Amino acid sequence: LTSRSVADAVGGAVERFRLVVSGPPGTQAVTAGRRVPAPDRAGVSVSAWQIDRPVFHKVSVGDHVINYAELIASLGEREELVLYWYQAHDKTAPEVYKNKIYAAINKMTGKKQEHGFIRITVPLTPGTEKESARNVGEEFMKHFYPFFMNYINDTTGTARG
C-alpha cells in the first residue's frame, strides 16, 4: 500500500490523507500520504490551530462499518474538515481508548495485531458546505478502505497495492 497506489485509485478529491499502520513487534510500520507536523488531537498539529469538538459518524463500506469522527480545524482563514478513526485490525473507533481495547482483545484472542490511525483532510474553501466536504471524505473512504483492508489482511505484511 503506497500513497501513489491509493491516489491513483481514488483520484485527487482529497487534499491529503495520513495513514499510520503498525503491527506486532517485528513487523514494519507503513506511513502513506504527505508528511505532516507531529499530531495532537485528530492528528492535527495544534500550534495556532483552532480545533472544534469532534462529531461522530458511521459509513458503510461493503461488509464493514467505519466509525469515525469529524471536526473542523482552522488556522486564520484556512479551514479543513478532518475525518479520522483508529483501527485495530478490522475494528474501527473514533476514540483512542476503544481502539486500545480492541487491540488488547485481538492480542488476547490470537487475532492479527495490526492497528493504526487514519486521518482524511478535506479543504473547506469559500462556498464549500461542510456536508459536501463530508461527502467527498466519505467517498474517499469507500474507495480507500478496500485497499487498506487488503493490506492489513495480507498475512505476509508485504502488500503494496
Side-chain angles (χ1 to χ4, degrees):
L1 178 70
T2 65
S3 57
R4 169 57 82 195
S5 66
V6 173
D8 288 346
V10 302
V14 173
E15 183 175 278
R16 67 178 176 249
F17 71 96
R18 177 88 166 148
L19 164 65
V20 179
V21 180
S22 60
T27 61
Q28 186 175 16
V30 174
T31 302
R34 188 184 303 165
R35 180 154 172 72
V36 294
D40 192 14
R41 183 168 53 170
V44 176
S45 176
V46 293
S47 57
W49 284 86
Q50 298 296 315
I51 300 174
D52 288 350
R53 286 191 154 298
V55 177
F56 303 112
H57 297 279
K58 294 180 182 184
V59 65
S60 294
V61 180
D63 294 337
H64 301 280
V65 174
I66 300 173
N67 298 290
Y68 72 94
E70 85 173 22
L71 57 80
I72 294 178
S74 58
L75 178 64
E77 298 296 315
R78 179 179 170 186
E79 287 189 327
E80 297 179 347
L81 183 68
V82 179
L83 312 174
Y84 67 94
W85 71 92
Y86 299 89
Q87 180 105 16
H89 185 60
D90 60 351
K91 300 271 193 240
T92 62
E95 302 101 345
V96 69
Y97 72 88
K98 282 186 182 176
N99 184 64
K100 289 180 181 196
I101 291 169
Y102 292 150
I105 290 169
N106 287 346
K107 185 172 186 168
M108 289 185 293
T109 59
K111 294 181 181 173
K112 290 189 171 202
Q113 297 178 40
E114 291 79 9
H115 58 277
F117 173 76
I118 297 89
R119 181 187 74 196
I120 300 166
T121 305
V122 183
L124 290 172
T125 56
T128 302
E129 297 291 327
K130 186 165 93 169
E131 182 69 30
S132 174
R134 181 184 310 117
N135 291 340
V136 168
E138 286 184 352
E139 191 63 28
F140 180 85
M141 286 181 202
K142 290 175 183 177
H143 291 292
F144 160 78
Y145 202 71
F147 284 92
F148 179 63
M149 290 306 297
N150 285 340
Y151 176 79
I152 64 172
N153 284 322
D154 179 28
T155 57
T156 64
T158 57
R160 295 292 176 245

